């Protein structure tokens, strides 16, 4: 009889151990437990620690409250300015209401993933290419709002959404590279032109100062000669003022008044040659009158220093000379 009693006690103890093993549940710090009793949510959410349930009646389902990193597959879409791009992102979310995450949605991770993909496609169609490349912070906020709005009803809070990469076609990459190169070239030319403008202003001021003080030009010339000579060159370059070259160029030419006087004399001489010599006029001698009758020419008598001679007139075809 004692033996039977011991066997009964041992059986009862074993049953108690088995019952405790089936009834004890441990909830970790980063988890929350939702108790389903005969299929219905019973009581509040179980906190971390040791929790007891009724075996074969209750079912405790644990929910992880840690932040989940969910990569969004690359989505291909057309931007508002008709550019085809592929964009991928990553979503950071966590469960804030364990009961809603289990009851209101079948698989909250899959639901968040699909919502992120559709929201990403929508945000691509509403944005320009420049916004996708430069203004990502604004797009991240818009994408986070689009995903978080339906996820709140599931007991899920979206902490952050980040666009990871934007893939462009090769033709678009080449076009953007040419655009960037042209823009850099434009800025370089503008900077160079601005530098030339400032340099020209300074040179004009320097020229005005040297014009007021001619000695400054000589000092600058000597300074230039010293700078060239300090380089130990075998050839010394000596700059010559332009005014000196103009002076040497005018050295073999008459002055402007002389040129005008010579031009007037040549014009008068040409007019005299066009009119021809007057009758009885000889170069270098006095003009003598010549008389005659008929068709024969009259020959003048030239004084040679002898006795005076009178002109002889005759008739006929030949003249008579005294």
């Amino acid at each position: 009889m004692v033996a039977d009693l011991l066997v009964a006690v041992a059986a009862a103890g074993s049953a108690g151990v088995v019952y405790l093993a089936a009834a004890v549940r441990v909830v970790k710090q980063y988890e929350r437990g939702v108790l389903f009793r005969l299929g219905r949510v019973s009581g509040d959410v179980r906190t971390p620690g040791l929790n007891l349930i009724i075996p074969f009646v209750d079912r405790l389902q644990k929910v992880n409250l840690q932040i989940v990193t969910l990569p969004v597959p690359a989505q291909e879409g057309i931007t508002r300015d008709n550019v085809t791009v592929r964009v991928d992102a990553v979503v950071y979310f966590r469960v804030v209401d364990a009961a809603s995450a289990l009851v209101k949605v079948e698989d909250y991770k899959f639901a968040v993933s699909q919502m992120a993909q559709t929201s990403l496609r929508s945000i691509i169609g509403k944005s320009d290419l420049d916004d996708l490349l430069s203004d990502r912070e604004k797009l991240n906020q818009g994408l986070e709002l689009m995903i978080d709005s339906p996820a709140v009803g599931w007991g899920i809070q979206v902490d952050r959404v980040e666009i990871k990469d934007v893939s462009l076609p090769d033709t678009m990459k080449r076009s953007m590279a040419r655009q960037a190169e042209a823009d850099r070239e434009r800025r370089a030319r503008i900077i160079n032109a601005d530098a030339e403008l400032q340099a020209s202003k300074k040179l004009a001021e320097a020229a005005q100062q040297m014009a007021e003080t001619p000695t400054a030009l000589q000092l600058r010339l000597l300074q230039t000669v010293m700078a060239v000579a300090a380089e130990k060159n075998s050839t010394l370059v000596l700059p010559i003022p332009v005014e000196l070259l103009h002076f040497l160029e005018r050295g073999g030419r008459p002055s402007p008044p002389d040129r005008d006087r010579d031009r007037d004399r040549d014009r008068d001489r040409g007019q005299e040659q066009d009119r021809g010599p007057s009758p009885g006029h000889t170069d270098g001698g006095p003009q003598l009158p010549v008389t005659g009758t008929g068709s024969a020419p009259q020959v003048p008598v030239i004084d040679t220093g002898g006795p005076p001679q009178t002109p002889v007139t005759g008739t006929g075809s030949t003249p008579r000379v005294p």
Side-chain angles (χ1 to χ4, degrees):
M1 186 174 180
V2 177
D4 295 337
L5 183 59
L6 293 175
V7 172
V9 173
S14 300
V17 171
V18 173
Y19 179 81
L20 289 175
V24 173
R25 293 291 186 269
V26 177
V27 179
K28 297 180 181 178
Q29 181 65 35
Y30 55 84
E31 294 177 339
R32 294 296 183 269
V34 180
L35 182 63
F36 291 91
R37 179 167 295 171
L38 298 177
R40 297 180 63 181
V41 177
S42 177
D44 297 333
V45 177
R46 300 300 176 90
T47 57
L50 186 62
N51 294 271
L52 296 176
I53 65 173
I54 302 174
F56 309 109
V57 177
D58 297 340
R59 183 172 63 88
L60 185 66
Q61 190 167 350
K62 303 175 183 178
V63 179
N64 194 337
L65 300 184
Q66 290 177 318
I67 294 178
V68 180
T69 303
L70 180 65
V72 181
Q75 302 297 313
E76 185 173 355
I78 300 177
T79 60
R80 190 167 57 182
D81 50 355
N82 298 325
V83 179
T84 303
V85 294
R86 289 177 60 89
V87 182
D88 56 352
V90 59
V91 181
Y92 301 91
F93 69 94
R94 61 189 180 91
V95 177
V96 294
D97 189 353
S100 298
L102 292 176
V103 174
K104 294 184 179 181
V105 63
E106 180 181 2
D107 187 354
Y108 63 88
K109 290 184 180 180
F110 181 74
V112 172
S113 177
Q114 295 301 313
M115 180 58 65
Q117 294 180 30
T118 56
S119 300
L120 184 58
R121 283 179 175 271
S122 177
I123 207 72
I124 291 174
K126 295 179 181 179
S127 305
D128 294 332
L129 179 60
D130 294 338
D131 296 335
L132 289 175
L133 296 177
S134 60
D135 197 6
R136 291 190 180 183
E137 187 66 27
K138 182 179 179 181
L139 296 179
N140 292 337
Q141 294 177 1
L143 188 58
E144 179 182 348
L145 182 61
M146 294 177 65
I147 299 174
D148 189 60
S149 297
V152 171
W154 303 337
I156 296 172
Q157 179 182 353
V158 178
D159 289 341
R160 191 176 184 88
V161 180
E162 292 287 345
I163 295 177
K164 291 196 303 183
D165 188 21
V166 178
S167 300
L168 300 175
D170 294 337
T171 55
M172 182 58 63
K173 291 181 180 179
R174 289 193 293 267
S175 299
M176 294 178 65
R178 291 195 299 268
Q179 179 184 1
E181 183 179 359
D183 185 67
R184 292 189 181 94
E185 184 68 20
R186 178 184 63 86
R187 286 185 291 178
R189 291 184 178 181
I190 291 176
I191 294 174
N192 190 17
D194 190 20
E196 292 293 338
L197 177 61
Q198 295 179 6
S200 62
K201 292 181 179 179
K202 295 299 182 182
L203 289 176
E205 294 177 1
Q208 184 179 2
Q209 185 68 24
M210 289 182 180
E212 296 176 357
T213 309
T215 309
L217 180 61
Q218 299 295 331
L219 295 176
R220 182 60 182 168
L221 177 61
L222 294 177
Q223 184 179 2
T224 304
V225 173
M226 292 178 61
V228 174
E231 297 180 359
K232 300 180 180 180
N233 294 328
S234 58
T235 303
L236 180 61
V237 178
L238 183 62
I240 300 177
V242 181
E243 290 77 4
L244 181 59
L245 297 178
H246 290 317
F247 175 76
L248 295 177
E249 183 180 0
R250 293 194 304 266
R253 299 180 183 178
S255 60
D258 296 339
R259 287 200 303 267
D260 296 340
R261 186 168 57 255
D262 294 342
R263 185 170 58 253
D264 295 340
R265 184 173 63 249
D266 293 340
R267 186 175 63 255
D268 295 341
R269 184 177 299 173
Q271 293 177 357
E272 292 176 358
Q273 291 178 358
D274 293 339
R275 288 195 302 268
S278 60
H281 177 270
T282 57
D283 294 339
Q287 297 182 1
L288 299 178
V290 179
T291 60
T293 60
S295 61
Q298 298 178 0
V299 179
V301 178
I302 302 174
D303 187 8
T304 58
Q309 299 180 1
T310 60
V312 179
T313 61
T315 62
S317 60
T318 57
R320 290 180 301 176
V321 180

